[in-house]
Amino acid sequence: RIHRGSLDRVEKDLDWLDANSIPARGHVLVWPSWQMNKHMEDLKGKPDALREAIRQHITRTVGRLKGRLVDWDVINEPYNNHDFMDVLGNAEMIEWFKLARAADPKVKLYINDFGVLESGLGNNRHAEHYFKTIQYLIDNGAPLDGIGFQGHVGTRLTPPVDLLAVLDKFSVFDKRFKITELDINLNNEDDLRADYMRDFMTVCFSHDKVDGILHWGFWSERHWLPNTALFNKEWNLLPHGKAYEDLVLKSWWTDMTLTTDASGEARVRGFLGDYNVVVGGKTVPATLVRDGTTVVVK
């Protein structure tokens, strides 16, 4: 998570992540409120200076980390945090995306917000604002690649069918989705939290637009909501952590032994992704894509 602090430290962290083949997202370039940027409050009455400070920050930060991140959250939580837009106008958001694209043409650019999946679509002003903001960005040429849904789930558990309805509604934009900040905050309800972790992740994994699910921490001693972490203080896996592992490390894999037919062919239906096909002791790498993949082994 890249927010405030030294880019020197960030680069060292990225060195470790790169060495361990762990991709990283950038969060966040513009969190447009004075509360989140107290060091900039002296620019409240200076729109030109504020505009330039934000633009320089985007260009400098994205440029320095060019090629090292898979995504950038360009704007975070525009429904609750709009102080910068109140001063500079909504059109400035488009410029923020364009500057990020110019500084790193290959990184995927996202907008990010909460209160959408967590609450569903019924009478949800937050979701409607998010939808209209995304439509505005696209209509005005912002190079938006993806839509982030935070997933800070509280005591109101959105039913799976309603989660699908949210994802389907936002699919009209034909952008990629990521669940960016998942945690499930239920006190003393371990079984329910585990069941909902399973259902929430299954819904998101099943949807064509969702490319990934990022948990907002995993160990209770380094989590903003310790009771939502997958592991407790002693590194014991909690029930909802086991639900996660059962899906990600077991259920969502295809591991099968097949026998070819008389023509020397074997077919399998599996999860999309990378495979090792082993035939007679020979291993051939392959990637299963949506339209199917043919592997020839001689």
Side-chain angles (χ1 to χ4, degrees):
R1 177 173 185 260
I2 299 171
H3 182 28
R4 292 181 289 268
S6 168
L7 285 178
D8 293 337
R9 172 60 186 272
V10 169
E11 289 181 317
K12 289 181 180 179
D13 291 342
L14 288 173
D15 289 341
W16 185 90
L17 293 167
D18 289 343
N20 288 276
S21 301
I22 300 174
R25 304 185 76 246
H27 175 86
V28 50
L29 290 172
V30 185
W31 200 335
S33 78
W34 303 120
Q35 181 180 2
M36 295 299 173
N37 298 275
K38 293 186 180 299
H39 62 291
M40 299 177 70
E41 284 189 286
D42 61 333
L43 301 179
K44 280 185 178 181
K46 305 173 182 177
D48 291 341
L50 175 64
R51 180 181 293 106
E52 185 61 22
I54 297 172
R55 290 183 177 188
Q56 287 186 11
H57 162 70
I58 294 171
T59 299
R60 179 177 62 252
T61 304
V62 179
R64 181 165 171 179
L65 299 176
K66 179 180 179 181
R68 307 208 63 184
L69 302 172
V70 295
D71 304 330
W72 261 116
D73 287 333
V74 178
I75 303 173
N76 194 47
E77 301 178 358
Y79 179 73
N80 282 0
N81 300 275
H82 47 78
D83 292 336
F84 292 176
M85 289 82 90
D86 293 344
V87 175
L88 303 175
N90 287 336
E92 192 64 16
M93 294 189 294
I94 301 163
E95 187 65 22
W96 297 338
F97 274 91
K98 289 181 176 179
L99 288 169
R101 171 63 76 238
D104 188 344
K106 292 185 179 180
V107 71
K108 300 300 182 183
L109 304 180
Y110 276 70
I111 188 170
N112 191 50
D113 212 338
F114 69 97
V116 183
L117 284 177
E118 299 94 322
S119 300
L121 296 175
N123 194 29
N124 187 346
R125 293 182 179 179
H126 204 144
E128 288 304 314
H129 177 271
Y130 200 37
F131 190 91
K132 290 178 181 178
T133 300
I134 293 166
Q135 186 70 69
Y136 173 82
L137 291 171
I138 294 172
D139 288 347
N140 289 277
L144 175 70
D145 296 306
I147 300 169
F149 300 95
Q150 288 189 11
H152 294 298
V153 179
T155 54
R156 183 191 183 282
L157 303 180
T158 307
V161 66
D162 292 343
L163 293 173
L164 281 171
V166 174
L167 297 173
D168 286 344
K169 178 180 176 65
F170 282 79
S171 293
V172 69
F173 298 121
D174 197 25
K175 303 296 180 182
R176 306 311 302 170
F177 298 163
K178 280 191 177 163
I179 314 306
T180 55
E181 305 180 23
L182 178 60
D183 47 43
I184 301 174
N185 190 17
L186 297 172
N187 291 319
N188 302 316
E189 298 182 74
D190 288 348
D191 290 342
L192 178 59
R193 183 188 285 112
D195 287 346
Y196 196 71
M197 177 70 78
R198 176 200 64 211
D199 293 348
F200 185 98
M201 290 186 63
T202 299
V203 166
C204 295
F205 183 73
S206 76
H207 201 278
D208 178 61
K209 298 295 184 185
V210 177
D211 285 341
I213 302 171
L214 179 72
H215 291 255
W216 208 231
F218 54 89
W219 182 44
S220 65
E221 301 309 290
R222 290 292 184 270
H223 203 298
W224 77 308
L225 297 173
N227 68 308
T228 71
L230 305 182
F231 295 88
N232 65 13
K233 182 178 181 179
E234 290 76 28
W235 287 100
N236 296 312
L237 187 65
L238 298 173
H240 60 291
K242 185 177 185 303
Y244 165 88
E245 283 201 347
D246 285 345
L247 292 174
V248 176
L249 301 181
K250 297 178 183 178
S251 297
W252 293 344
W253 289 72
T254 304
D255 186 1
M256 299 183 68
T257 299
L258 307 173
T259 301
T260 58
D261 60 20
S263 64
E265 292 186 358
R267 295 174 179 268
V268 63
R269 183 173 185 269
F271 290 105
L272 305 184
D274 295 332
Y275 283 78
N276 285 323
V277 180
V278 182
V279 183
K282 182 177 182 179
T283 300
V284 179
T287 299
L288 179 56
V289 298
R290 188 167 303 281
D291 294 333
T293 299
T294 298
V295 180
V296 178
V297 182
K298 296 183 178 180

